[in-house]
């Protein structure tokens, strides 16, 4: 990269928390190779991450994928070839120049080495709030970027961890989603205006209103990654159906499967004696179908197992699952790696994204399969954020 190119603001600086650096490195490659990937029919050179999800889907077999794109994205955002000439003027550069140290008492001692180089440039930071211990150190960095004269600032937070505590049902409960949104809303303005906070498959869409007007929340979805895999299964002759474990999941995701209403199944949870929950099929017919259960996140996985059991009892030939955020506290994912007596048969596939740092470790075990968010983040950046200003 020439010094002239670095000095005129055409370089986009990409930073990341150590737990998200694998995403940053893949995004850097994909953003630089986006037009090249298309010219090679979606094949990336050896050692590079997979092509963006929209490139691997089969439009002939799964037209709903194209309907989804038209309904939820601007057409231009997927016309990467047409924008290749514009993108030549932009360059994504991953900067591993933040020192994430700690003082003797455990509090963060963070230092950004290249603040002079950063001044006047567009900055993107990929974070991970996978535990309370790492939130404070990242908030400190988020507040610093605009103050060090970043021209614009985007914060990519794949998983919004407090999303399940978004409301107060009983006096005394604390809506911690509101608390975290308030903290993020304190990110200072950059020269080009408010920071953009990009979150994938947030638990409740209304949480966007917890953020102040000082920032712009962008709620994106990773469902196109799943569409890509469903296309491959359909090409192999699978008779697919989509199931939602409860009404909440149906409300969040059913519009992302346009033209497939007859293939949607809704399950319901019933609370039994002893606080035990039983899942039943509420709407739709799983008989003779390979059913894919879709939800935004999984904790212990008990609901997914019960849902799978109900679908198999209803005649499903196989079950798979997709969740964007594989939380799985206390290694509860292990219950899906084998089938003990009295438990539902093994899932054929369990797709998760790398929105949490432990996802690659989980996907070293069957039936888990990793769908990297790097491809869909790169699509978003190439389609809009990296266009010349």
């Amino acid at each position: 990269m020439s010094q002239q190119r670095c000095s005129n603001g055409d370089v986009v600086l990409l930073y990341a928390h150590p737990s998200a650096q694998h995403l940053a490195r893949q995004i850097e490659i994909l953003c630089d190779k986006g037009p090249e990937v298309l010219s090679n029919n979606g094949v990336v050179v050896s050692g590079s991450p997979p092509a963006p999800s929209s490139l691997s889907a089969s439009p002939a077999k799964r037209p709903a994928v194209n309907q989804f794109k038209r309904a939820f994205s601007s057409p231009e955002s997927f016309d990467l070839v047409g924008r290749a000439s514009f993108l030549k003027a932009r360059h994504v550069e991953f900067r591993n120049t933040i020192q994430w140290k700690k003082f003797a008492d455990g509090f963060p001692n963070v230092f950004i080495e290249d603040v002079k180089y950063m001044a006047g440039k567009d900055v993107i930071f990929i974070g991970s709030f996978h535990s309370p211990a790492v939130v404070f150190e990242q908030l400190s960095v988020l507040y610093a970027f605009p103050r060090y004269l970043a021209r614009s600032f985007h914060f990519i937070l794949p998983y919004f961890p407090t999303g399940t505590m978004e409301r107060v049902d009983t006096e005394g409960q604390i809506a911690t989603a509101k608390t975290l949104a308030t903290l993020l809303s304190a990110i200072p303005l950059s020269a080009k205006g408010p920071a953009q906070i990009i979150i994938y498959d947030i638990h409740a869409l209304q949480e966007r209103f917890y953020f102040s007007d000082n920032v712009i929340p962008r709620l994106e979805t990773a469902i196109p990654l799943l569409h890509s895999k469903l296309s491959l299964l359909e090409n192999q002759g699978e008779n697919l159906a989509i199931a939602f474990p409860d009404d909440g999941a149906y409300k969040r995701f059913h519009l992302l499967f346009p033209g497939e209403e007859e293939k949607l199944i809704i399950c319901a949870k019933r609370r039994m004696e002893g606080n035990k929950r039983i899942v039943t099929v509420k709407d739709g017919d799983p008989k003779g179908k390979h059913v894919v259960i879709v939800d935004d996140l999984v904790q212990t996985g008990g609901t997914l197992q019960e849902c799978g059991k109900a679908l198999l009892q209803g005649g499903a030939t196989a079950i798979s699952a997709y969740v964007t955020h594989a939380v799985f506290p206390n290694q509860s994912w292990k219950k899906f790696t084998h089938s003990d007596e009295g438990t539902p048969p093994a899932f054929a596939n369990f797709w998760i994204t790398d929105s949490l740092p432990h996802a690659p470790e989980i996907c070293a075990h069957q039936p888990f399969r990793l769908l990297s968010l790097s491809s869909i983040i790169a699509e978003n950046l190439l389609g809009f954020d990296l266009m010349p200003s």
Side-chain angles (χ1 to χ4, degrees):
M1 186 194 315
S2 68
Q3 182 63 34
Q4 178 183 3
R5 190 175 184 182
C6 291
S7 62
N8 64 12
D10 288 333
V11 62
V12 178
L13 304 185
L14 181 63
Y15 298 85
H17 186 262
S19 61
Q21 285 188 3
H22 69 287
L23 272 175
R25 296 183 188 278
Q26 292 175 3
I27 291 166
E28 179 185 40
I29 294 172
L30 283 170
C31 286
D32 281 351
K33 292 183 177 295
E36 177 184 331
V37 168
L38 286 177
S39 65
N40 287 293
N41 297 317
V43 178
V44 189
V45 295
S46 178
S48 299
S53 58
S54 66
L55 308 181
S56 56
S58 171
K61 187 69 176 176
R62 193 171 180 81
V65 177
N66 291 333
Q67 296 174 20
F68 168 81
K69 291 174 181 176
R70 287 196 297 269
F72 294 93
S73 305
S74 63
E76 294 81 9
S77 66
F78 295 92
D79 184 19
L80 305 188
V81 173
R83 293 186 170 211
S85 59
F86 294 100
L87 293 169
K88 288 179 181 178
R90 303 286 272 169
H91 174 75
V92 176
E93 179 183 344
F94 171 54
R95 303 284 294 180
N96 188 16
T97 54
I98 302 178
Q99 299 180 15
W100 301 89
K101 299 180 180 180
K102 294 184 183 298
F103 290 107
D105 61 0
F107 275 84
N109 179 15
V110 186
F111 180 76
I112 304 174
E113 300 172 0
D114 56 349
V115 291
K116 297 296 184 183
Y117 179 70
M118 178 201 310
K121 296 182 177 67
D122 298 318
V123 172
I124 300 170
F125 179 80
I126 303 176
S128 177
F129 286 2
H130 55 277
S131 74
V134 300
V135 174
F136 178 64
E137 63 183 5
Q138 290 178 77
L139 284 173
S140 302
V141 171
L142 296 178
Y143 296 167
F145 281 124
R147 291 193 173 102
Y148 282 121
L149 304 182
R151 182 171 66 174
S152 68
F153 182 55
H154 289 61
F155 174 40
I156 298 175
L157 180 64
Y159 173 52
F160 189 73
T162 58
T164 54
M165 285 301 297
E166 80 279 10
R167 63 183 182 271
V168 174
D169 296 317
T170 305
E171 201 66 25
Q173 285 182 319
I174 304 298
T176 50
K178 168 61 176 171
T179 305
L180 184 56
T182 300
L183 292 171
L184 291 173
S185 296
I187 298 174
L189 299 176
S190 66
K192 292 181 68 174
Q196 295 189 35
I197 302 174
I198 303 172
I199 301 170
Y200 286 86
D201 291 320
I202 200 167
H203 186 68
L205 289 176
Q206 65 267 24
E207 290 173 354
R208 71 166 67 241
F209 302 110
Y210 287 169
F211 295 86
S212 77
D213 293 339
N214 196 53
V215 296
I216 300 175
R218 282 173 52 183
L219 306 185
E220 305 284 353
T221 181
I223 289 296
L225 297 173
L226 174 62
H227 277 302
S228 168
K229 297 303 178 183
L230 297 183
S231 296
L232 295 176
L233 290 177
E234 287 180 331
N235 287 338
Q236 296 168 6
E238 294 278 359
N239 183 18
L240 296 179
I242 304 298
F244 305 104
D246 51 39
D247 286 327
Y250 172 78
K251 291 176 182 177
R252 279 190 295 274
F253 292 117
H254 77 280
L255 292 177
L256 306 185
F257 296 88
E260 301 186 15
E261 288 78 8
E262 73 283 355
K263 296 183 178 181
L264 301 185
I265 299 169
I266 307 174
C267 296
K269 288 182 285 190
R270 289 189 295 130
R271 190 181 298 276
M272 308 297 288
E273 186 177 349
N275 205 32
K276 184 179 179 180
R277 294 182 179 183
I278 300 297
V279 178
T280 59
V281 176
K282 174 183 175 182
D283 192 16
D285 183 10
K287 187 175 182 179
K289 299 181 178 68
H290 181 167
V291 183
V292 180
I293 307 169
V294 176
D295 208 350
D296 61 322
L297 61 86
V298 58
Q299 293 275 359
T300 62
T303 297
L304 286 180
Q305 284 193 322
E306 289 299 318
C307 186
K309 184 187 299 184
L311 293 167
L312 289 170
Q313 291 174 349
T317 57
I319 52 171
S320 293
Y322 164 87
V323 297
T324 302
H325 311 297
V327 183
F328 283 130
N330 302 317
Q331 296 189 320
S332 53
W333 55 269
K334 290 184 176 180
K335 70 176 65 174
F336 291 92
T337 60
H338 60 276
S339 179
D340 292 328
E341 185 178 354
T343 65
F347 282 47
N349 308 280
F350 199 132
W351 293 289
I352 64 176
T353 78
D354 47 3
S355 66
L356 287 155
H358 60 200
E361 174 191 347
I362 294 174
C363 289
H365 306 270
Q366 293 291 340
F368 293 99
R369 308 180 193 281
L370 187 66
L371 304 180
S372 180
L373 284 172
S374 60
S375 59
I376 203 164
I377 293 173
E379 274 189 356
N380 291 339
L381 296 178
L382 286 172
F384 176 75
D385 299 276
L386 299 186
M387 290 303 295
S389 57

